[in-house]
Amino acid sequence: MKVSIITIAYNNLDGLKNTYRSIRQQTFHDYEWIVIDGNSTDGTKEFIQEHKAEIAFWCSEPDKGVYNAQNKGTQHAKGEYCIYMNSGDSFYSDDVLERIFEKNLDADVIYGGWMPIFEDGRAVEGNVPEVADLAYFFDDNMCHQSMLIKTEAVLNRPYDESFRIYADWDEWLALYMQGKRFERIDLIICNFMVGGISTGDNASERLKEDRKEEIRRINERYYNEPLRKSMKRVVPILREYNAWKSWMG
C-alpha cells in the first residue's frame, strides 16, 4: 500500500461528500481511505456506513480534538505514506497522486502547493517554501493537506496533542530536528477550506491569543533565545538565498 488517506470529520456531511468524490476520482489506486468521525449527528455516520466497503477503517466516536483524531487514524494506516485530507478538503486534480508517485521519490516528507478556498469563494495559492527548514518554520506553517509523510515517522513521533491548534507545525519541526528529509514537488496537491481554528480570519480574541501562545511554545521548544533573536534578522536573508539556490538548480 503506497498511501493512506486519513479523513477527520465532524458534522460536515457536505464537506465529507466532497472529499469522498475527490478521492474516488483519483487515477492512482494504490491507496486506502481511513475515516475518523467525532460522533457526528448530521448524517455523516450514515454516509460512512453506506460507503464502508470503500473504507479500510472507520469509527464514529467522541475524540479529544483534531490531532487526537489524526493520531487515531494513523494507528490504523497501512500505507508507506499518509496524507491528512479532512472533510471538505480535496485533491487539486484527479491525477495528482499519480503524478507524485510516478517520480519515485523517497523523502520522509513530500510537500507541494496548496490552494486555500475562502468562505467567499476566493482561491489564492499558498506560499510554498523552496526549502523546508528552520528558517521557514520559524514564523510560518505548512498546509498538512499538501504533505505526504512516511507513516512510520508519524507513528514514531505522533502529533503532540497538548497543542490544540498547531500540533502540525510542532510535528514538522520535530521531524526536521530528527533529520527527516523534506522534498518539494512542483505540483499543487490540494484545495483546503479556510476557516478552521488555525486559519479562520474571523477568530475570537481568545482564539487569536491561543494561536499566539502555541506559536510561542513552539518557538521556545525548538529555538533557544539567542537563536530566536538571530532568526528575526536572518530569516528574510535565508529565504532569499534558498529561493535563489532553487532557481539556479
Side-chain angles (χ1 to χ4, degrees), residues 159-248:
Y159 291 95
D160 183 344
E161 295 174 27
S162 72
F163 292 96
R164 181 174 68 95
I165 303 167
Y166 291 125
D168 53 353
W169 195 339
D170 172 77
E171 183 74 6
W172 317 146
L173 274 163
L175 295 179
Y176 181 85
M177 297 300 285
Q178 288 177 3
K180 301 301 183 185
R181 187 161 61 90
F182 288 66
E183 186 166 351
R184 172 176 170 154
I185 188 169
D186 191 22
L187 291 172
I188 299 177
I189 294 178
C190 71
N191 303 302
F192 88 96
M193 304 306 296
V194 174
I197 57 174
S198 64
T199 59
D201 290 331
N202 299 320
S204 66
E205 290 303 316
R206 173 63 184 273
L207 179 53
K208 290 177 182 177
E209 288 303 314
D210 288 347
R211 289 174 179 173
K212 291 178 183 178
E213 173 61 18
E214 289 203 358
I215 292 170
R216 183 192 64 78
R217 285 178 56 204
I218 290 168
N219 281 345
E220 290 183 355
R221 174 177 279 188
Y222 298 101
Y223 306 84
N224 60 34
E225 185 175 356
L227 184 56
R228 290 198 300 274
K229 290 180 179 178
S230 298
M231 279 292 178
K232 290 177 182 179
R233 296 193 301 271
V234 304
V235 161
I237 300 170
L238 286 173
R239 289 186 175 174
E240 284 190 17
Y241 170 72
N242 287 333
W244 173 83
K245 185 170 65 172
S246 175
W247 180 76
M248 293 293 291

Side-chain angles (χ1 to χ4, degrees), residues 16 26 64 69 121 125 150 212 227:
L16 182 61
Q26 285 297 299
K64 298 177 183 177
E125 187 174 350
K150 283 198 171 176
K212 291 178 183 178
L227 184 56

